[in-house]
Amino acid sequence: MNKITNPRQLAVSTLTRTKQGAYSNLQVDTDLKQAELSSADRRLYTSIVYGVLQHQMTFEYQLAPFLKNPAQVDEWVVQLLYTAMYQMEYLDRIPKRAIFDETIKVAKKMGHDGIRRMVTGVLHAMDRKKLADPNQIEDLVERLAVTSSVPQWIVELLIDQLGKDKATSILMSLNQPPKQSVRANLAVISRDELLNELNEAGYDAKASEVASEGIVIEHSEIPITQSDFFIDGKLTVQDESAMLPAEAMPIEASDLILDACAAPGGKTTQIATRLSAAEKGQVVALDIHKNKMKPINQNAKRLHVSEQVVAQALDARNVGDVFEDGLFDEILVDAPCSGLGLIRRKPEIRYQKTPADIEKLSQIQLAILTAVAPKLKVGGQLTYSTCTIVNQENKNVIDQFVINHPEFEVQYTHTDLDLKADRNQSDLRIYPDDYLSDGFYVCTLIKQ
């Protein structure tokens, strides 16, 4: 099988598979390994894939007038046209003639002469008539949905819960490039020492303003995951917001802690750095999928905290079958969720989730909290977190849990950098536009 050497053709293939349900980050990694692209072509390919995913609904709106029978057009042809539109609107350095020539070449390579002629005709029609400006849409919800490329039900939900101004700010921030952030592994190095070493090695690194262990890398010639810093376990890749749940936990070196939904182990290993093997401190890391044990253990080994981590395949809803009541000093439930706070990093999430998914997930979240609650010692802290930004999976779940378990009391969620110190609620709600990190929710519950 010949390896693909054309970045635009590869982008069309990746986008088509993502449209069919693949996770973009995993599909990109897989397709890059199976292709032969130069460094410049890899960057172009990645830019096109994520650019199209970010603006898919905008392109769908703009392309519609140029397709007579959209339902009869193969999905890969639609994705090919989107790649051309992205290059025309967002990649200023590529001449229009080159975009047209390369797009038509891919149409010919992947299809037949009829598709080539159709693609050629659509491209020239778009060039003559120009693309519609979605900012001219009168209806607010439709305009926000099309301009931000976020389904209307999510737009309506955000407006209803947060108001028009905050919802608009969030939506307009989602298509900005995600920051690259890493967590200093405090088991082996301080953040300040790591910052100095990174900058001396040529990385443009600065301290995070969100997380005390976080570092934001603005620019790097060598991908951080290929660096000695990563391989030797001095750091791990983690979003700034994702570091906050562990920050909010008052961990003692000798604690026995349950991480109820642990894979791939980012928060597990962060907790483990605050424990002491000498004092028998341990974090029991659960995940429902047996194959997720390997990445948890690999991360723990790379970050030199294997002695503090015990990985176990178990559905957190079944902890009652395995652990005795009152066993754990602290429990973290970083619950499975819709991931709507991750749209900037995983843009296809917005198209794949439905209101029914959120309803189902909220029931799972409540079931996990209910199952782990008896396993916490009296006086211990239960920390609940998600990477989503809607009440159905956050505040509403906690409200119902506390009604069912009056022995738990919601208390103020603290972070090392005292984020949102002037907020009116005890829980911590990080939105994607606040710090341009992932959207996150963290709530602190004490067992009385």
Side-chain angles (χ1 to χ4, degrees), residues 99-118:
I99 296 170
F100 282 24
D101 287 349
E102 292 295 328
T103 303
I104 293 166
K105 186 190 298 181
V106 173
K108 186 177 180 180
K109 173 88 172 174
M110 296 182 67
H112 50 72
D113 199 53
I115 289 176
R116 179 192 63 78
R117 288 198 304 270
M118 188 272 278

Side-chain angles (χ1 to χ4, degrees), residues 99-322:
I99 296 170
F100 282 24
D101 287 349
E102 292 295 328
T103 303
I104 293 166
K105 186 190 298 181
V106 173
K108 186 177 180 180
K109 173 88 172 174
M110 296 182 67
H112 50 72
D113 199 53
I115 289 176
R116 179 192 63 78
R117 288 198 304 270
M118 188 272 278
V119 168
T120 303
V122 170
L123 290 174
H124 287 291
M126 288 192 294
D127 189 34
R128 285 195 314 272
K129 299 178 182 178
K130 307 306 176 188
L131 298 175
D133 180 4
N135 287 299
Q136 302 303 313
I137 298 172
E138 290 188 11
D139 181 76
L140 173 66
V141 172
E142 184 185 358
R143 182 170 70 249
L144 287 174
V146 175
T147 54
S148 64
S149 197
V150 172
Q152 287 196 24
W153 71 269
I154 298 177
V155 175
E156 291 170 347
L157 200 58
L158 294 178
I159 291 175
D160 179 60
Q161 295 183 3
L162 301 171
K164 182 183 70 174
D165 291 345
K166 183 62 175 177
T168 301
S169 178
I170 291 171
L171 292 164
M172 292 302 105
S173 77
L174 293 179
N175 292 329
Q176 297 182 37
K179 289 188 284 185
Q180 181 179 26
S181 59
V182 299
R183 172 171 58 82
N185 180 14
L186 300 188
V188 297
I189 193 169
S190 73
R191 181 174 73 167
D192 287 345
E193 289 173 321
L194 180 58
L195 264 173
N196 289 335
E197 290 187 14
L198 283 167
N199 283 307
E200 285 175 3
Y203 290 92
D204 185 1
K206 65 178 184 180
S208 167
E209 297 179 355
V210 178
S212 63
E213 299 167 46
I215 293 174
V216 176
I217 298 177
E218 300 282 2
H219 174 72
S220 61
E221 291 296 330
I222 301 174
I224 197 67
T225 53
Q226 296 175 20
S227 70
D228 289 340
F229 295 102
F230 182 87
I231 295 166
D232 295 342
K234 289 185 175 181
L235 57 78
T236 194
V237 175
Q238 193 171 0
D239 185 78
E240 298 164 278
S241 296
M243 303 177 203
L244 299 176
E247 270 193 24
M249 300 170 69
I251 300 167
E252 300 290 339
S254 59
D255 280 349
L256 178 62
I257 296 174
L258 177 65
D259 185 353
C261 313
K267 298 175 187 65
T268 300
T269 53
Q270 185 180 3
I271 291 168
T273 64
R274 303 183 179 210
L275 299 172
S276 166
E279 296 187 44
K280 309 295 185 186
Q282 278 194 330
V283 52
V284 178
L286 306 182
D287 195 87
I288 190 171
H289 301 292
K290 194 170 184 178
N291 64 329
K292 298 290 182 69
M293 297 301 100
K294 186 175 180 181
I296 293 174
N297 286 320
Q298 285 176 335
N299 278 324
K301 183 177 181 180
R302 181 176 60 82
L303 295 168
H304 312 287
V305 291
S306 291
E307 289 187 56
Q308 291 96 303
V309 175
V310 178
Q312 188 169 341
L314 180 68
D315 185 332
R317 291 169 290 187
N318 298 328
V319 292
D321 300 338
V322 178

